[in-house]
Amino acid sequence: MMNKNTNLEVTQNLTESNSSANIHIVVVGNGMVGHHFVEQLIQHEGANNCQVSVFGEEPHIAYDRVHLSEYFTGKDAQDLALTDADFYLQNHVDYYPSQKIIEIDRAAKTVVCETGETVSYDKLVLATGSYPFVPPIDGHKRANTFVYRTLEDLDAIRDCAKNAKVGTVVGGGLLGLEAANAIKNLGLKTHVVEFAPRLMPVQLDEQGGNLLKNMIQELGVEVHVATGTQNIEDGEHCFHRMNFSEDGKEYLETDLIVFSAGIRPQDALAKSSGLVLGERGGIQVDSHCLTSDKDIYAIGECALYEGRIYGLVAPGYNMAKAALDHLLNKGELEFKGADMSTKLKLLGCDVGSIGDAHGQTPSSKTIVFQDGMQGCYRKMVVNQDATKLLGAVLVGDNASYDTLLQYYLNEIDLPSQAESLILPVSDGASPALGVDALPSTASICSCLNVTKADISQAIAEGALSLADVKAVTKASTGCGGCAALVKNVVDNELLALGVEVSTDVCEHFAYTRQDLYNLIKIESIKSFDELLEKHGKGHGCIVCKPLVGNILASVWNDYVLKKEHVTLQDTNDRYLANMQKDGTYSVVPRIPGGEITPEKLIVIGEVARDYKLYTKITGGQRIDLFGAHLNQLPDIWDTLIKAGFETGQAYGKSVRTVKSCVGSTWCRFGVNDSMTMAIDIENRYKGLRSPHKLKFAVSGCTRECAEAQSKDIGIIATEGGWNLYVCGNGGMKPRHADLFATDLTDKELVQYIDRVLMFYVKTADRLQRTSVWMDGLEGGLEYLKSVVIDDSLGLAQELEDQMALIVDTFQCEWKTTLEDPQAVKAFRHFVNHDGVDKDVVFVEERDQIRPATQAEKTNLIAKAS
């Protein structure tokens, strides 16, 4: 048997047979659907009487094609693999990679390998999938043209991109936009050419398609709809010239082309063996996925059921189960078609399509909500009396998708005000459909066909955590889009049984955030890998990695771009700047208390002028500079740091600003020096990393000009000292801070703030604001007072010591970065050259720059030409 990471070769005699088995099943195709068939067979007790042989054309064992693009973001073939050779070996499955089956002899019941060897079968399962359709354009076979289907395809695209500047995708469907995202991430100027009048024409209506086009173009990908390529020839400035008109006046030059213009069923093997095909291709099957030959099944994208090819993995899995059920003579399952609703994020844009998205059902009506300012489009298709949902389109915001899908799949009666399901949600109101309202037959995970009843049964049989339920049912292990709904159903079912719901941060760590904080601190753990090895499992995920990175920074105050930590960070932390909507970054130097010298003001002005940055004085009393290209950040910060500035950490979950009035220094109403206190407070806590961002304010009197009572930490001067307010916030749900202590001395004030903040960092949940944290404490404000003021837990000294460590080890992250040449190398737009991103276009408004809209970009290009 072959090992996964070696040069795979067949080491068994293909003509050997398992004499102890009653039936030999040959599976042709080792994609996701073919593997799922084998996996289901192994789990079935009837498999003991079967010999199974699997033939795959690719050298890799079955891998996750749904997440194929993650191959470009650091994952390798092993990460994407759905299994390994040991799994097949242990379950007595003969696996033959790189073995193409070229012939079926139905009379002899044998298949012939490309190597010439013949293998007999009792039952044959064709899971040959599909192949990418490449339009027969003159020049489509030129060098530097690709499809987007296999790992080898992606390797070839990546190699070509190293010496390219422009990449183009032909096809604006699901896979085409995914390919465009991959090309853009490789650092190429990216175009999408779609023959239809809109993107994703199968899933989206005209308005939804237009909005998606605008959103994608705002992100720097040029979209050409209603555009057909006449021919491809040598380009003048790039490798290719794609001519869009016969006279060649409309054209596009590009260095590489990826064809993603749809798929076609891989049915050549079936056709040559005389199996019945559909008029336009596809192996005809019945509800048992049986072909015209009673011993041959077809499943997945090669199969045609009632005139339709199902190009998603979920229907393929259902076909695999139906075929297996019939093969084992169970007679319980049939394939009757499948829902083709989809939810995904394309180039960062949410897109959802449910049921009859185009409103083709007779007498149907539509309800539409569109917010052009926020880039949001939602449409419901309902029956004539608006009692049932027939379909939906969502672009820009998929928050309503899960709820709408359940109304559609389970034919649940719509509320009397059906439009509430797609209208913006006001505070305190939620149109979401509670899991209690879902019937037991509700499909929770469509990829693996897991219902609410399946989850309930798994829990009834002993699955007492989300990880247990996922292990038993496989729910949310497909595309992952149902993860939130699965968790809600699991939690609801466990609570109904009186079982305490797990508070694990994720499936990789069976601990709360507070548990992980304590483990890291007590055991002096200094890296994610060390924590994972000692207390976790798997490889980590987008939940636990940044969470652990945050805790490591809170406990040890390590440099966030240290080799051990950099892969844990999101984009903003990784580049020490906030990414803006057009792909540029903001520069925010710290200005403690808003106090700044004329000399420093001049430096900021010079930087803004020299780099042509948009300049804004914020409500937090500092100056933000917008529009910096990634490669400009080190030079900008070098200038600022030499002038005495430090990073303002506007990108981190940390202390942002300490707003202040001028206090008794200047104001005739001021009773204390709020400026000095604000500056001291900001300089003390500026290095603190916390579960959520923190904002402070200091007012010099009760007139409250600094608005201290809306901050996480608010300080107001009184005749007797300082009043301390805690756990307020602005934002989407503003909350007034609570008065914590009155008439404090400077020393008492700092001592209490130290304790409050470190207790928050130690015990809060991930991404939890101070207001939510305190409200969640048993006893709330009074309990917090007892811990901080009365030291009821005996933690006061520990909390103060931990804060002292943070204060003493502060480092300006930009200063540290500039002193490390290796770290500076990361600040490049593209892997293959050092230039700026030319897709970023600005226009002037009120004598400053701002990002150009797509319409403005188009006009500028037209004028230039």
Side-chain angles (χ1 to χ4, degrees), residues 595 660-679 699-701 717 722:
E595 183 179 271
S660 66
C661 63
V662 295
S664 60
T665 307
W666 293 93
C667 180
R668 60 195 176 96
F669 298 107
V671 297
N672 210 334
D673 187 358
S674 58
M675 278 303 304
T676 297
M677 179 56 71
I679 293 169
S699 287
C701 72
W722 302 101

Side-chain angles (χ1 to χ4, degrees), residues 616-676:
K616 171 79 166 66
I617 297 176
T618 73
Q621 300 180 162
R622 56 186 181 185
I623 301 172
D624 290 6
L625 309 175
F626 294 86
H629 291 266
L630 182 63
N631 62 308
Q632 293 174 336
L633 291 176
D635 292 336
I636 290 172
W637 274 105
D638 183 57
T639 301
L640 292 172
I641 287 171
K642 286 177 180 176
F645 287 102
E646 295 175 340
T647 175
Q649 291 184 307
Y651 45 82
K653 298 294 184 289
S654 55
V655 175
R656 297 293 178 86
T657 58
V658 180
K659 189 174 181 179
S660 66
C661 63
V662 295
S664 60
T665 307
W666 293 93
C667 180
R668 60 195 176 96
F669 298 107
V671 297
N672 210 334
D673 187 358
S674 58
M675 278 303 304
T676 297

Side-chain angles (χ1 to χ4, degrees), residues 335-354:
F335 180 77
K336 293 292 188 181
D339 174 56
M340 296 293 283
S341 300
T342 53
K343 176 180 73 170
L344 62 160
K345 188 179 287 287
L346 296 167
L347 291 131
C349 306
D350 281 345
V351 178
S353 176
I354 297 173

